[in-house]
Each structure stands twice: as C-alpha cells, then as structure tokens.
Amino acid sequence: MLKKKLQDSRFLMGTHLFIVLLGLAWIALSIKLNDKFEQFNWYYLIGIGVLLVANTVLWFRTPPTDRKPKLNKLFLILGFAEIILTTGLLIGFFILYFKFSTINLSELAWLMHADITGTNISTFYGDIIRGVIALILIIVAYFGLFRLAKKRNKQSRFVLWCFTVFFAGFCIVSGMHYKHLMVGEYLRNIGKYSPFIEDNYVDAGKVDITFKEKRNLIYIYLESMEPTFAGIENGGATQEDIIPELTAIAQENMDFGEGSALNGAYALNGATYTMGAMAAMTSGVGVSEDFFDNHIRNNVWEKDEYVTDYLPGVWSLGQVLEENGYKNMLMIGSKAGFSGRDVFFTNHGNYEIFDYDTAVERGYIPEDYYRWWGFEDAKLYEYARDEVTKLAAADEPFNLTLLTVDTHFTGGYVCQLCGDKYDEQYSNVYACASKQLSDFLEWIKQQDFYENTTVIIAGDHPTMDTEYISKMGISDEYERKSYIAVINPAKDCVERPRVYTTFDMYPTTLASIGATIQGDRLGLGTNLFSDKPTLIEKYGYQEMSTQLLQRSLFYEQNLAGRLQK
C-alpha cells in the first residue's frame, strides 16, 4: 500500500511543490535571519538534498506516463531558462566570494554604471571560461537526459524534476547573493536620509587656508596597499613581513600609530575603490553611486557637452593648491578615463594628466604595448623621475600625484623586477611594489628639491582580493586599513596616535606642506596634526559607517550636484 502510494504521481507532484515552497521560504528566511544565515544555509541544503534524492529514486520507480505534452514543453523551456540563470548566478557568486568578497551592492552598482574604459578583466578570463564550459556541459546533459527520458516515456517527470532542482538552486544562490552583497543593509539604508554629512561637512572653499611655506608635494597612491602585510610583529596579520621597505618607511616616518606597530586609515563607504578613495583623500568625501543621476551612471563624461564633474560642489586639494600658485600633475599607468579620473582631476585643480595614452602619444611605448592595465609601475616610476625633475626646475611649487596599478587584484602583475620568494604570486607582487617604491623614494631624497618637498604614500583602499586574504590566513576579526606614511612634512607637524579615515588625509596633507587651516577640519576630515578629534574618534567606526550608507540630501544637492547641458 505504502509502496503504491509513494509511486503515485500526485504524491510526487506534492513533493515537487513542497520543494518549490521551501525555495521561496529560503529567500524569505535568508532576509529575516541575517546573522544566523550560515547555520540556516546548511540546514536548508541538507533538507533540499534529502528531498531531491528521495524524489529522484521514486521518479525512477514510477510507471511510464506522459499525459501533458504541452506542459512538458513549458517546463522544458522553464528548466532551460533556469539552467542559464542559476548557473550564471552561481558563477557570479563564486567570483564575488573568492575574488573580492568585501564588495557590497552599492559599490557593485557604481562599478556597473561607471566608465570602464581601460578596465583590465584578464584575471577573470579563467573564471569566465570555466563558467561557460560548465554551462555548456549542463545544457548538453539536460537535453541528453531529456531524450533518454522521452524514450522511456517519462519526459513529464523529467522536466518537472529539472524545473524543481534548478528552482531550488536559484533560490539558494539568490539567498547567498543577498547575504554576500549586504542587500538587506543596502535596501534599509538607501531609502533613508541622514543629516550626518550636512552636520559634519566643512566647506574648504569657505575656510581660511593660509600657507606659512609652500612645500612641494609628491602624493603616491599605492593600489590596494595595506599594513596588513607588514607581519604580525609590526601590527600586520601575515606571518612574515611581505612589504619590509614600506614597513620601515612607516616606522621611520609618520603613520599616526603608536610604537612599532603600523597604523593606517579606515576606508569607509564611498572610499573603498580607487576613484572613491582618491576623491576622499583630496576632498574629504567619497563617491557613492546612489548620489548621482543617470547621465553619470550611463558613462557620460564628455567634457565639451556636459558639466561633467561628479563632485562639483567640493573645493578640493588640487583647487586649494592651484589657487596658491601650485602646478598640479597626475600620472597613472592606465587610461585616465576609467571612472572619470581625468574629469575629476581636471575640474579639481586643472591637473596635467599623464596616462597610458600620453605615453603612447609621446612614443615612450609602442601603440600595441599593453601590460596589465596599461604600462607597469616600473615605467611609471621611470617617467615620474623625468616629470618631477621638470616640475622642480620651474619657479612654481608643484604637486605630483602618482597612482600605481601592479598590485591591483586579482593576483597583481608580475613584472621583470619581481622575484619568486613566496609561493603566492600576489605576495611577490606586493614585495616588488614595496621595493620599487623604496627605490623611488631614495631617489627623491637625493634630489635638490627634496628638502622642500613632502612625500605622502597612501594605499588607496584595502585589496578586494579576498581569495588571497583567505589563503594568507588573515582573520575576519583583523581590522584592515589603508597604508599611510607622511614623509618630510613641515617642521611644526607633530605626530600623535590617531584613529582616522582616508577623509582625514585631505586637511592633513595641506598641513604637511605648510598650510594653516581655520578650524583644522575640511570636508569630513580632520587635520591629524591638530588636537581636534576625527569623526571616527567622535562617533566610532560602526556609527560612521552606518550613517555614510544612508543618503544625504545635502550631498546630493550641494556636493554631487546634477549634470547640466
């Protein structure tokens, strides 16, 4: 009796429906449970697995039947669509989880909308190829098994079973994405307006900034550099110091830490990727996609047709320096158009831009020369030596800003200078970047202009390559920050231990080259040489992070502005 009942088609249909309902429950509960998600994840997977195995066994034991041919076609098409959707989501999840698990939905949305000219996606080729192969194999197996089921007159059961399996898979992967991308937190905050920025923002254009001396500035952004890699004995989290030269530079100069342990700057929302980080350190506010209109989101950056600056309301470092007679220059080894970096720096200090295209135009590299994101850091430092020599020969003070790229995730770029000391490629690239920076700094110190020059080295943001972070055994509890070192600042700059963010580098940079700032605050930043508390010291990391995830009417209307024709 029981055996007959188990083979009844209505019972099988009921189990399919039950699995579908469980899939819907998965999405609802993954939203509700949040912190208990991981434990729930395993319970759900075990439950679904038992039901599917049991359902498969029963399916093979049922008598042949095929009473609904039209329904077969519908479920066949739905199953095929689910295969593509679920497999695509699964591939995307593994890339997000293993390659850069720290990214959230807000950052992902910005990257999807931003100008991606010059983006290097070569590191994802392997994942894409493996994903396409997996998808092809699954599709071939799907239609092959369907033909087999059709011969046995069991295609109805087969298409229904496949539909159920892939629907369950879709629900599982959707729940994983929800948790990983912090969709719940994003949705909770995106609809809220916070007065935090308005209450704490200081407009540099309305503050008295005077220069006791006008020191030259060399500002070097090191892609994805963090004190995490300085070794446990130096306050890092790796077993061995991978960046010994950078460790020594921070210890011998200023990083606003205490003792020999390296300190760094927290990178908060809007400043956890390169363009946002550069905006944060030069204007005291980040760049978040939620604050911008569709012209910018659709990559409209043409200078002649639009007022294209996506932070037109801020008065930034470059503008302060230009106003005080400085010559500004930005040098990068990739295309400056990526994320509108050329637009931002041109409109905020009239920077002269030297990028990959410039190197090609000047004949420094052939037109078909392309390494990693453009040209490697070794060439960037080589060209920078020539450019800074020219800048120093002029009568006006200068600000030379560099952005490296070899240490970009995933795995970094192995140039001809890199060794093979470490098993992990990324470790060798980081070690090489440390040595190259140290060599460049030593060259600067030997130049006549160094006496009157302040050098700031800043990691733009912590690396997004969380596969590497996991391989290195770095705990989730470790607080990762951006590397900071201030070298040869103005004589009255006194270092003290601070807790700070990359926003604080804006007024700190000006103070380091001889500026006196009324109130010692600019943007959301505080002069770290002053006795004023930083916002993160005042509010704490969690509170400040939460507030910056929410929208700001003041930011949207006064700082981000709207594009105009």
Side-chain angles (χ1 to χ4, degrees):
M1 180 72 178
L2 179 61
K3 181 178 179 181
K4 185 176 181 181
K5 184 173 182 61
L6 289 175
Q7 292 179 351
D8 186 87
S9 60
R10 286 173 296 181
F11 175 80
L12 289 174
M13 285 288 289
T15 60
H16 282 294
L17 178 61
F18 184 61
I19 292 172
V20 169
L21 291 175
L22 274 178
L24 295 173
W26 159 265
I27 295 178
L29 288 174
S30 63
I31 295 172
K32 183 72 176 175
L33 289 175
N34 268 323
D35 294 337
K36 298 178 181 178
F37 179 87
E38 295 300 331
Q39 185 178 7
F40 172 63
N41 176 28
W42 286 109
Y43 291 156
Y44 180 82
L45 288 176
I46 292 170
I48 286 289
V50 170
L51 283 170
L52 288 177
V53 169
N55 197 269
T56 302
V57 172
L58 293 173
W59 177 75
F60 275 109
R61 295 179 63 84
T62 53
T65 178
D66 184 25
R67 300 175 182 173
K68 301 186 182 299
K70 290 184 179 180
L71 208 56
N72 287 347
K73 292 182 181 180
L74 174 62
F75 279 112
L76 186 66
I77 295 171
L78 290 175
F80 180 68
E82 282 179 337
I83 287 174
I84 296 175
L85 182 59
T86 304
T87 304
L89 284 173
L90 191 60
I91 293 168
F93 176 78
F94 279 115
I95 290 176
L96 287 172
Y97 186 80
F98 290 110
K99 298 299 184 184
F100 47 109
S101 66
T102 55
I103 197 167
N104 58 42
L105 185 59
S106 178
E107 296 163 17
L108 185 62
W110 167 259
L111 292 173
M112 291 173 66
H113 288 126
D115 186 349
I116 60 173
T117 302
T119 306
N120 174 32
I121 62 170
S122 62
T123 55
F124 296 108
Y125 287 163
D127 298 296
I128 294 170
I129 291 171
R130 285 190 291 271
V132 170
I133 291 173
L135 180 61
I136 292 172
L137 291 175
I138 291 172
I139 291 173
V140 170
Y142 177 66
F143 284 104
L145 290 173
F146 174 75
R147 288 175 64 85
L148 180 63
K150 190 173 183 180
K151 288 180 179 179
R152 296 186 177 186
N153 201 24
K154 288 189 176 184
Q155 59 266 44
S156 295
R157 299 286 168 80
F158 173 77
V159 295
L160 183 59
W161 182 85
C162 285
F163 170 79
T164 308
V165 169
F166 284 102
F167 183 84
F170 169 76
C171 293
I172 291 172
V173 179
S174 297
M176 288 177 169
H177 275 290
Y178 178 91
K179 177 65 177 180
H180 179 72
L181 293 173
M182 301 169 65
V183 177
E185 185 176 6
Y186 176 82
L187 294 176
R188 282 193 300 273
N189 287 297
I190 193 61
K192 295 180 181 179
Y193 278 89
S194 167
F196 181 82
I197 295 180
E198 182 175 7
D199 292 345
N200 293 283
Y201 181 80
V202 176
D203 188 345
K206 299 178 181 179
V207 169
D208 287 334
I209 302 174
T210 57
F211 282 79
K212 293 171 291 184
E213 57 176 315
K214 293 183 179 180
R215 301 179 60 78
N216 301 315
L217 173 64
I218 298 178
Y219 205 119
I220 307 172
Y221 292 96
L222 295 181
E223 174 63 48
S224 304
M225 188 59 71
E226 46 184 300
T228 307
F229 312 128
I232 294 173
E233 71 278 9
N234 298 310
T238 52
Q239 294 299 314
E240 186 176 353
D241 187 354
I242 298 169
I243 50 171
E245 295 85 3
L246 285 171
T247 299
I249 289 169
Q251 290 173 336
E252 294 166 5
N253 294 281
M254 298 182 180
D255 69 349
F256 306 97
E258 195 167 10
S260 62
L262 268 61
N263 194 15
Y266 285 99
L268 300 180
N269 188 57
T272 56
Y273 59 96
T274 300
M275 187 60 251
M278 296 176 85
M281 293 190 215
T282 56
S283 16
V285 287
V287 179
S288 176
E289 68 92 19
D290 301 318
F291 296 147
F292 300 97
D293 63 21
N294 286 329
H295 285 303
I296 290 176
R297 292 181 179 183
N298 292 327
N299 308 332
V300 181
W301 300 98
E302 293 83 357
K303 297 176 185 177
D304 296 333
E305 186 177 356
Y306 293 95
V307 178
T308 56
D309 187 0
Y310 47 80
L311 284 175
V314 305
W315 193 252
S316 73
L317 173 67
Q319 290 162 292
V320 173
L321 296 182
E322 183 186 25
E323 190 178 57
N324 283 275
Y326 277 73
K327 166 69 175 179
N328 294 318
M329 184 173 188
L330 172 68
M331 295 188 70
I332 55 181
S334 55
K335 290 179 179 287
F338 177 69
S339 283
R341 292 174 300 192
D342 55 346
V343 174
F344 178 82
F345 283 98
T346 299
N347 288 326
H348 288 85
N350 195 28
Y351 283 70
E352 179 184 344
I353 306 294
F354 184 111
D355 67 348
Y356 169 81
D357 291 330
T358 308
V360 172
E361 289 169 4
R362 295 185 182 181
Y364 293 166
I365 54 177
E367 290 185 6
D368 60 350
Y369 187 92
Y370 203 90
R371 303 289 186 273
W372 197 229
W373 285 68
F375 58 79
E376 60 271 41
D377 292 345
K379 284 185 169 54
L380 178 68
Y381 288 126
E382 177 188 341
Y383 304 151
R385 285 175 168 86
D386 293 336
E387 294 302 326
V388 73
T389 300
K390 295 175 186 175
L391 290 170
D395 295 331
E396 56 192 351
F398 65 83
N399 160 31
L400 174 64
T401 299
L402 306 180
L403 171 63
T404 69
V405 74
D406 283 4
T407 46
H408 199 285
F409 80 101
T410 59
Y413 175 73
V414 180
C415 72
Q416 70 274 15
L417 301 177
C418 289
D420 57 359
K421 177 180 178 180
Y422 303 102
D423 293 334
E424 291 294 331
Q425 173 179 304
Y426 212 176
S427 294
N428 290 316
V429 174
Y430 271 117
C432 185
S434 176
K435 181 67 168 58
Q436 287 190 67
L437 185 282
S438 177
D439 291 344
F440 182 62
L441 181 60
E442 289 304 312
W443 178 85
I444 292 172
K445 289 181 177 181
Q446 296 170 13
Q447 308 309 306
D448 293 338
F449 61 77
Y450 175 68
E451 183 180 354
N452 190 45
T453 299
T454 296
V455 181
I456 294 181
I457 306 169
D460 56 353
H461 55 76
T463 181
M464 298 178 185
D465 194 338
T466 47
E467 181 179 14
Y468 173 72
I469 294 296
S470 177
K471 286 181 178 179
M472 297 302 291
I474 298 169
S475 169
D476 291 340
E477 302 302 317
Y478 179 81
E479 294 183 328
R480 294 167 56 204
K481 303 174 184 176
S482 294
Y483 176 94
I484 298 292
V486 180
I487 303 157
N488 199 30
K491 292 180 180 179
D492 59 351
C493 292
V494 179
E495 182 186 23
R496 65 190 72 197
R498 304 301 297 262
V499 180
Y500 60 107
T501 70
T502 51
F503 300 131
D504 298 308
M505 292 308 297
Y506 175 23
T508 302
T509 298
L510 284 169
S512 74
I513 58 175
T516 300
I517 304 164
Q518 177 189 4
D520 284 310
R521 293 202 62 251
L522 296 175
L524 298 178
T526 301
N527 175 13
L528 297 176
F529 295 113
S530 73
D531 58 2
K532 296 283 195 309
T534 64
L535 293 185
I536 199 169
E537 289 172 337
K538 181 179 179 180
Y539 294 103
Y541 175 85
Q542 191 58 51
E543 175 64 18
M544 193 171 176
S545 296
T546 301
Q547 293 295 329
L548 290 176
L549 280 172
Q550 298 176 15
R551 297 182 69 176
S552 167
L553 192 62
F554 171 79
Y555 190 122
E556 294 177 14
Q557 293 182 346
N558 296 281
L559 304 182
R562 299 298 179 193
L563 289 175
Q564 303 170 3
K565 286 191 175 181

